[in-house]
Amino acid sequence: AYLPGVPALLNSMAVKVYNIEGQKGDSVDDPYWQEAGDFADRNDDDDLVPGKLESDSANVTLKEAVYPFSCSDRAFLQGYGAFANEFAFQAAHKYAKFIDIKLIADAVTTTQEVDITGSTPSTMSWGAIVDARAKFGDKWIERGLVIALHSMQYADFSKTDEFVNGQNRVLTSSQRTMGMIAEIDGMPTRMSDNLPVTGDPHYTALLLLRESMAVWNQLRFSVKYQRD
């Protein structure tokens, strides 16, 4: 089977953790580190006042995602290759897409945005990317940024002079791994048609710091089957 599309955020942006505890429906706290204080000048007779490296947490509800399937005897006999391997391949792809859509839904709730509706140009441009990057101040320099574009946004941007003649490069087919299709000013660029499309149409792109999101799992993805 050929399954189009790859996750935009799951494999490049999200930290994946597998030690969460609890049962489906439980409310649990996802911990994360807060920022420590800053260095300051000290005289020899000054007392040392320890700062704090603290953590905070976000409360979430544990959920379960499943997909039951069946394979007829005819399909079992006629299908090319092992049906269990084929389903595992498709299910892993669809599970990644399922999780990625949830990450996108959380990411678009940010209040930091650049709206180019009614601007000139009103399509994806280098100027829009620069303005969005400026929202991060200097924090993106060390951690790095990843861009996620809808396929129509990437098509529009690929036609601009900034992309054709600027500090951008299109990756060869052997370099297009895990959905990275290009680099825009050194920022890995990923494509996903799961990004929001509204109105007539209005496309939403995402510019995110690396590891700015997390996926907590209790169990790794698996396929179980039995013969009736």
Side-chain angles (χ1 to χ4, degrees):
Y2 172 73
L3 303 177
V6 292
L9 309 185
L10 181 59
N11 293 318
S12 60
M13 299 304 305
V15 180
K16 287 176 279 189
V17 185
Y18 292 93
N19 63 352
I20 195 169
E21 297 180 357
Q23 303 294 323
K24 180 176 65 175
D26 289 350
S27 292
V28 297
D29 291 327
D30 283 350
Y32 57 88
W33 292 110
Q34 291 185 323
E35 186 175 355
D38 297 316
F39 277 73
D41 292 328
R42 174 181 176 268
N43 298 316
D44 291 341
D45 56 349
D46 289 344
D47 293 331
L48 289 176
V49 180
K52 293 182 179 181
L53 178 59
E54 297 183 319
S55 65
D56 204 341
S57 61
N59 189 262
V60 298
T61 301
L62 295 184
K63 297 181 179 180
E64 180 183 32
V66 299
Y67 179 74
F69 74 100
S70 64
C71 181
S72 68
D73 287 337
R74 181 175 181 179
F76 180 81
L77 294 172
Q78 291 184 341
Y80 177 78
F83 84 94
N85 293 342
E86 175 61 27
F87 181 78
F89 165 73
Q90 292 196 33
H93 184 98
K94 292 181 180 293
Y95 173 76
K97 178 180 178 180
F98 173 78
I99 298 298
D100 202 56
I101 290 174
K102 292 184 176 294
L103 289 173
I104 290 172
D106 282 342
V108 297
T109 61
T110 179
T111 57
Q112 293 193 125
E113 64 177 30
V114 174
D115 190 351
I116 61 173
T117 304
S119 303
T120 302
S122 60
T123 55
M124 181 55 64
S125 66
W126 174 238
I129 294 174
V130 170
D131 290 342
R133 189 168 62 180
K135 296 284 186 179
F136 294 96
D138 62 358
K139 292 182 179 180
W140 64 270
I141 296 176
E142 287 189 5
R143 293 181 59 182
L145 292 167
V146 172
I147 304 174
L149 300 175
H150 189 279
S151 60
M152 293 303 297
Q153 291 176 311
Y154 183 69
D156 287 336
F157 186 61
S158 298
K159 301 172 186 176
T160 63
D161 291 339
E162 292 91 345
F163 185 87
V164 174
N165 302 316
Q167 299 178 19
N168 315 297
R169 64 187 182 95
V170 177
L171 302 180
T172 64
S173 58
S174 62
Q175 293 172 310
R176 292 191 188 110
T177 57
M178 302 305 293
M180 194 171 79
I181 54 175
E183 287 185 352
I184 299 177
D185 197 25
M187 296 177 287
T189 306
R190 304 175 71 85
M191 181 191 298
S192 174
D193 285 350
N194 294 323
L195 292 165
V197 181
T198 58
D200 57 347
H202 181 90
Y203 296 94
T204 297
L206 292 173
L207 187 63
L208 300 100
L209 290 170
R210 290 184 181 275
E211 298 185 350
S212 59
M213 308 191 76
V215 177
W216 286 68
N217 297 277
Q218 190 173 56
L219 298 172
R220 294 180 183 271
F221 170 79
S222 63
V223 178
K224 298 179 181 180
Y225 62 95
Q226 63 183 20
R227 174 103 180 165
D228 290 334

